[in-house]
Each structure stands twice: as structure tokens, then as C-alpha cells.
Amino acid sequence: MKNYIICLVLLLLFCGCTPYLYKATNKSYRKQVKNFSKLLSEYPLKDSAGLPYAANWVGTTNFSIRRPNFVVIHHTAQNSCDQTLKTFTLPRTQVSAHYVICRDGIVYHMLHDNLRAHHAGLGKWGNVSDMNSSSIGIEIDNNGSEPFSDVQMNSLIQLLDRLKKAYNIPQANFIGHMDWAPGRKVDPSRYFSWKQHADKGFGYWYDTTSVKVPADFNPIQALRIIGYNINNLSIAIQSYKIHWVPQDTTKVINEMDKKILVDLMKKYQ
Ligand SMILES: [Zn+2]
């Protein structure tokens, strides 16, 4: 009973401290959101594209707010959630994510899903060239060279499930930062189990049991069809391996990879 009370007090202290710690940055968040809502509620609408159409303003009655259509998963490459929360609340870093999942499974929500976080940066996936505009960014507290904790993965799956349902995000559109930015990014690391997530409907996994590789099969085009930017082939292969063959640290496509790619290509095209 005594331990229970101590835990409760510590919990209350912690919950009480967090908003205090971020009082100033929360205020800045509210101010920025207010500016955006002011812009959206402008009436009559001036002109979004900077063209002189204001005189022709007729508001449609049929619209909704834009929705995210991708989820990009990251590891923070930092040593604690506190460190990451700090990084994402310092204006000079210019980086952020919608969610941060701590090692103990606690999820911090840092930005409304309908707003644009600065998490993906430069990259390309399929024909998408501005991932920040169309995605939710999730950062997993992990230094990049350690396994992900079970409670953390449970929280992630719960969150992915909610996002998938809320925004009708296609199964193929759950990707890693390294898929989006080969070479520049390697997160989430090889410790991240994409198979476990694909089994639950987030991204696809392969089944090579009855795959026959056609004589004219082109693995490079298969990588492109899946979504990879193949301008620099060896780094595209590196990202593919981190995602689908994490035990293989080479940047070479072998016979097994060809089978995997034949199967994945069908799922992602
Ligand atoms: Zn990242």
C-alpha cells in the first residue's frame, strides 16, 4: 500500500511537471495554431495561390480537412524521450514529429495529425516528393543500436491501428525513414521488425514459397515499383535490405532477393 502511494505521488508529480516544463513551448504551439486558424477562417478568401481571384470568390459547401495518407516510422537516435522532447521544442532544430513513443510505452502527442510535422526531409517514395505534407511522423525512442522494447512496440501497434482506421491509410503506405531517404537515413534500424507489423496490416511482407523468377526479371525496376528512388542504386538496395532482409548488410541483390522482389513488386504495384 505504501509503495502504491509513493508510485501515485511520483506519477502525479511527473504528470504535473511535464506541462510546467513545456509551458512556454506549449504557448508557442497554441500561438502558431491560432495563426493558421486565422488564415483558414479568412473571409472572403483572398487568394491561396497569390493570384487576383478574390473578386470571384464563391465558397463551396462541400469540403473537409486534408488527411494524412502515409505513416513514416523513425528511431530517434537519442538516448531518452526527454532529450527528444527537448529537440522537438527548440525552434532552432526545425525538426518535429506527430508522436514520440518512449521506451516505457508512453506516447507523447506533439502535433495535430492534420498539421505538417518536419520529420521526413528530402527524399522520394514512388511519385511522392513532399512526404511531410502527406504523412504522420512517429519517432521511437531508441539509439539505433539496441532492440525496441515490447511495451514500446505494443504502443506503436495500437497507434498505427488508430491512424490506419481514422485516415483510411493504405497498407502499403507504412514505411520507414530509410525507405524515404536512402543513404541519408537508416532508421528505424535493423532491430525493427517490419514482418511483425506487416502481419498486423502495416506495410507488406513477402512469401517466396512458390515464387519463380522470370528470365527477364529486372530487380532494379522492382525496387522502383515498390517505391524506392533508384537514382543511387547501392543506397536504394541498402534501404531495401534494412527493411526486408535486416540480417544482410551487403548492398548486392542475390537470388533470394530476386524472389523477394518478385513477390513484393506484386504487392506494392
Ligand atoms: Zn528519422
Side-chain angles (χ1 to χ4, degrees):
M1 189 61 189
K2 197 176 164 193
N3 283 348
Y4 173 77
I5 292 168
I6 292 171
C7 282
L8 197 68
V9 169
L10 283 175
L11 191 73
L12 283 171
L13 268 176
F14 178 74
C15 295
C17 282
T18 306
Y20 177 75
L21 205 60
Y22 294 102
K23 204 174 166 185
T25 56
N26 283 347
K27 200 173 162 191
S28 160
Y29 177 97
R30 280 202 305 277
K31 196 177 158 198
Q32 288 181 67
V33 169
K34 216 171 170 182
N35 287 341
F36 283 124
S37 59
K38 223 188 255 171
L39 187 76
L40 289 175
S41 55
E42 192 175 77
Y43 184 87
L45 190 69
K46 287 212 180 78
D47 48 75
S48 306
L51 290 163
Y53 297 153
N56 305 331
W57 164 250
V58 176
T60 178
T61 52
N62 318 317
F63 60 97
S64 53
I65 201 147
R66 286 181 194 265
R67 286 189 305 205
N69 196 41
F70 281 86
V71 170
V72 179
I73 296 170
H74 305 254
H75 70 232
T76 59
Q78 292 192 318
N79 291 316
S80 70
C81 251
D82 283 346
Q83 205 182 344
T84 302
L85 295 178
K86 191 172 175 195
T87 304
F88 290 170
T89 49
L90 286 174
R92 66 176 153 83
T93 68
Q94 281 297 299
V95 289
S96 57
H98 293 86
Y99 298 91
V100 178
I101 305 182
C102 306
R103 284 169 167 78
D104 57 7
I106 287 179
V107 180
Y108 282 92
H109 194 181
M110 300 197 73
L111 180 67
H112 194 288
D113 292 349
N114 293 118
L115 291 173
R116 185 176 182 270
H118 299 168
H119 64 97
L122 290 179
K124 193 170 177 285
W125 183 253
N127 287 326
V128 180
S129 57
D130 178 6
M131 188 54 85
N132 284 339
S133 286
S134 50
S135 67
I136 297 281
I138 302 176
E139 288 277 358
I140 308 169
D141 177 30
N142 180 286
N143 66 17
S145 49
E146 61 186 338
F148 296 89
S149 79
D150 287 345
V151 280
Q152 208 171 23
M153 291 301 96
N154 288 341
S155 294
L156 175 64
I157 283 168
Q158 198 177 34
L159 175 59
L160 293 178
D161 199 42
R162 190 191 74 79
L163 294 172
K164 189 181 178 187
K165 285 187 186 126
Y167 305 119
N168 203 12
I169 298 173
Q171 180 161 358
N173 291 2
F174 292 78
I175 64 168
H177 201 189
M178 77 297 181
D179 296 317
W180 167 252
R184 194 170 66 79
K185 294 291 170 183
V186 292
D187 63 305
S189 76
R190 293 171 194 271
Y191 284 104
F192 189 82
S193 172
W194 286 99
K195 184 184 183 310
Q196 185 197 339
H197 288 83
D199 288 346
K200 294 198 157 49
F202 313 117
Y204 287 110
W205 200 249
Y206 51 84
D207 178 3
T208 56
T209 33
S210 55
V211 169
K212 298 256 180 306
V213 179
D216 61 348
F217 178 64
N218 182 339
I220 300 165
Q221 287 310 312
L223 284 170
R224 187 187 58 78
I225 288 166
I226 292 166
Y228 288 104
N229 178 358
I230 53 166
N231 281 350
N232 183 330
L233 189 57
S234 77
I235 59 171
I237 295 171
Q238 176 182 262
S239 284
Y240 148 79
K241 298 265 187 182
I242 294 172
H243 192 132
W244 278 287
V245 204
Q247 68 280 10
D248 181 358
T249 53
T250 70
K251 295 177 186 170
V252 186
I253 298 282
N254 58 37
E255 289 310 306
M256 185 60 195
D257 290 317
K258 286 185 188 167
K259 283 190 166 186
I260 294 171
L261 288 168
V262 166
D263 192 54
L264 285 176
M265 189 178 77
K266 285 186 201 140
K267 288 169 172 148
Y268 279 84
Q269 69 191 356

